[in-house]
Amino acid sequence: MTSDRVLGGVGLLLAAFFIWGATQIELPFISDPVGPRAFPYLIGGLLALASLVILIRPDADPVWPAIGRLAEIMIAAGAMVAYALLLPDLGFLIATALASAFLTWRLGTSPLSSLVAGVCTSVGIYVVFHLILGLSLAKGPLGI
Amino acid sequence: MDALSSLGDGFLVALTFENLFLALIGCFLGTVMGALPGLGPSNGVAILIPLAFTLGLEPTPAMILLTSVYYGAMYGGRISSILLNIPGDEPALMTTLDGYPMARAGKAGEALALSGIASFVGAFLATWGLVFLAPLLVKVALLFGPAEYFALFVLAFATLGGVASKNQAKAAFAAALGLGIAMIGVDGQTGVPRFAFGEVHLYDGIDFLVAIVGLFALSEVFIFLEHRGDGSGEGKDSQVPMGRLTPPASMLKACAPTMLRSSLLGFIAGVLPGAGASLGSFISYSMEKRLVDREGTFGKGDPRGVAAPEAGNNAAAGGALVPMLALGVPGSGTTAVLLAMLLALNITPGPLLFQQNPDVVWGLIAALFIGNLMLLLMNIPMVGLFVRVLKAPPRFLMPVVAMVSFVGIYGISGSSFDLLVMVLFGLLGWILRKLDVPMVPVILGVLLGNLMEANLRRALTISDGDWSALFASPLSLALWAVAVCGFVLPLALGPLIRRRMRRDEAGSTSD
């Protein structure tokens, strides 16, 4: 119940924001009869309507993970963000080894085998995608 | 017999060393992904799209690779259904009903082989259906103007949830979300930026590949993190003895009519908008149960109960390609992802595809025949190999999935910004899945939003701003009518069908 109420509420806010955003689109001098605003208005309306129905007739709540598990997901997402930001600096091999070792560890492997798995994943992808298939990957300080 | 000669040309395209090799790789990867619980056809194809794109594959080889994965995943899903009682992907759910009891009775090998043959029959017949039906549909589609296309897009969204859809409001919510995301970026017709808020990265819009890989592949990693340790999705040791790997001729003979009927039903379910493979296998199973289950053996390891859903879901997979190729409107999640590949390659599916790029269409169809044969050979003698893959623990596998997704997306743009957006989509996908909001409409919205708007504006430009032009022709009226029915019908039928699905499931697991 509560989850869907929140979803509906967020959806309504999003719809309002979207419609406001659509009013901010500048109109060009020469345009087709519909213009760039009409379709976004339609979408915003649909979003608002759907959100309202969800708000009024919510489904039963899903089983949310315990707070610890939720933190786990957030940390993993954080690790991925860090990976995205550090990739250009660290280069593919190092960044990928670290990130996949971290994920493997968080998924319940012992730290040492995670590190091994991370290095294997990184080198494996490097060999298959870069050396064999010729995909360009981010270069690191080691020059590879 | 135009279709046949075109198909002949298609074989000339498909029978090159490169294409055969890609089909082989695709079939293998697809079976593996289908077999692994958690990875299904849509995630599998989603992960590979950016790779196929960055590898600089030509359209035909790229599509051959991806559709081989698609067909392969349909084969692979049955393996864990039969051995572990865990469907490898959603359409394989019905296969657990009789497949697992067969395996428990020491006939795992026979069940695997039989389901492999049933898959082959389903996919083979459906590919023939595709050969003949798609050109017919193209002829109809040539009558479509912008107004009809707009109505067709609405129809696609309205029916996407399928007859068994749980909550139409959530489906509409998802569609609006996807369409809204598509609006970000510079308007193609007037050149004004929309919803970019001055952020230069947003001027090009959100790349739909980024959205797809985030929603499908990364969210799977988050789901797995959430369930770590409670055993779901963890690769169980299969202690099931395999038994002989060839089904006796008498069993095949008994199942032959079942396979043929199920293939036909599955194909129809695949072609119809909003049905898809899951429904194809469900309808096939329930019809066979009603028709031939005289001794009440269905659900207790009846071979026909294995053959029916497998023929059904593979036939539906082929059928779903018909509207995707002929109209450019996908009827299922995986075909939506395949459509993304075509759009990324600057190929717009639809009637013009058949005229402008016949080599792509017919090469693809020929490759489906070839891939299907490969899959049969791969899945009968070599099924033991895939069974071993099932034992690979997901805790090693999921990080690989995540990393391969990153590599693919980074390869396309080389920008960290896209990777960040992808992580956001991964989280969004996780939340949406928790809240039971379907993800396919989101994807379809991101994919088709701009095309849909372009058609709307074109139609209204022709009519000089008169909105009634959208409902002017009988064809568009018919499309609107189907769209409305497709949206309203599940409200009435949905609970009924879901109850029946649950009952079938419960009835067999309690035995």
Side-chain angles (χ1 to χ4, degrees), chain B residues 348-371:
Chain B
T348 315
L352 291 178
L353 176 67
F354 281 72
Q355 292 172 350
Q356 290 167 350
N357 302 79
D359 52 320
V360 175
V361 181
W362 294 104
L364 173 68
I365 295 175
L368 289 177
F369 279 112
I370 298 169

Side-chain angles (χ1 to χ4, degrees), chain A:
Chain A
M1 301 288 280
T2 331
S3 302
D4 270 9
R5 291 250 154 83
V6 174
L7 176 70
V10 171
L12 276 179
L13 287 179
L14 195 65
F17 174 71
F18 194 78
I19 292 172
W20 171 79
T23 61
Q24 298 301 304
I25 299 169
E26 49 175 313
L27 290 177
F29 290 115
I30 306 165
S31 170
D32 50 311
V34 182
R37 284 185 190 167
F39 196 57
Y41 284 147
L42 282 178
I43 297 171
L46 177 67
L47 187 62
L49 199 67
S51 304
L52 206 63
V53 176
I54 294 173
L55 195 70
I56 296 169
R57 300 185 48 194
D59 289 339
D61 271 343
V63 184
W64 288 103
I67 194 81
R69 216 30 89 70
L70 211 58
E72 193 85 66
I73 290 172
M74 285 304 149
I75 292 172
M80 290 178 191
V81 169
Y83 174 77
L85 294 176
L86 289 175
L87 188 61
D89 297 326
L90 289 181
F92 174 80
L93 271 178
I94 298 173
T96 307
L98 290 177
S100 63
F102 181 81
L103 285 179
T104 316
W105 175 52
R106 290 324 303 161
L107 286 169
T109 317
S110 71
L112 195 64
S113 9
S114 304
L115 207 59
V116 176
V119 172
C120 290
T121 306
S122 178
V123 173
I125 294 179
Y126 187 80
V127 169
V128 173
F129 291 108
H130 184 70
L131 298 183
I132 300 179
L133 296 176
L135 203 70
S136 65
L137 302 171
K139 271 206 172 75
L142 306 177
I144 49 170

Side-chain angles (χ1 to χ4, degrees), chain B residues 282 286 290 495-505:
Chain B
F282 166 70
S286 12
R290 189 155 306 162
L496 204 77
I497 290 185
R498 274 199 310 284
R499 206 174 312 133
R500 163 119 2 127
M501 267 174 150
R502 252 200 312 275
R503 205 186 58 206
D504 276 358
E505 213 181 323

Side-chain angles (χ1 to χ4, degrees), chain A residues 4 32 36 63 69 84 106, chain B residues 170 194 226 228 416 434:
Chain A
D4 270 9
D32 50 311
V63 184
R69 216 30 89 70
R106 290 324 303 161
Chain B
K170 285 184 173 173
R194 296 193 285 184
E226 181 196 341
R228 165 171 80 92
S416 290
K434 289 304 285 183

Side-chain angles (χ1 to χ4, degrees), chain B residues 26-78:
Chain B
C27 291
F28 178 79
L29 285 178
T31 313
V32 170
M33 290 182 186
L36 291 167
L39 285 180
S42 38
N43 327 58
V45 178
I47 297 171
L48 287 178
I49 282 187
L51 290 174
F53 191 65
T54 33
L55 287 175
L57 291 180
E58 292 288 309
T60 315
M63 284 309 286
I64 287 176
L65 174 70
L66 293 177
T67 42
S68 303
V69 173
Y70 175 44
Y71 266 33
M74 289 292 165
Y75 271 79
R78 76 195 207 283

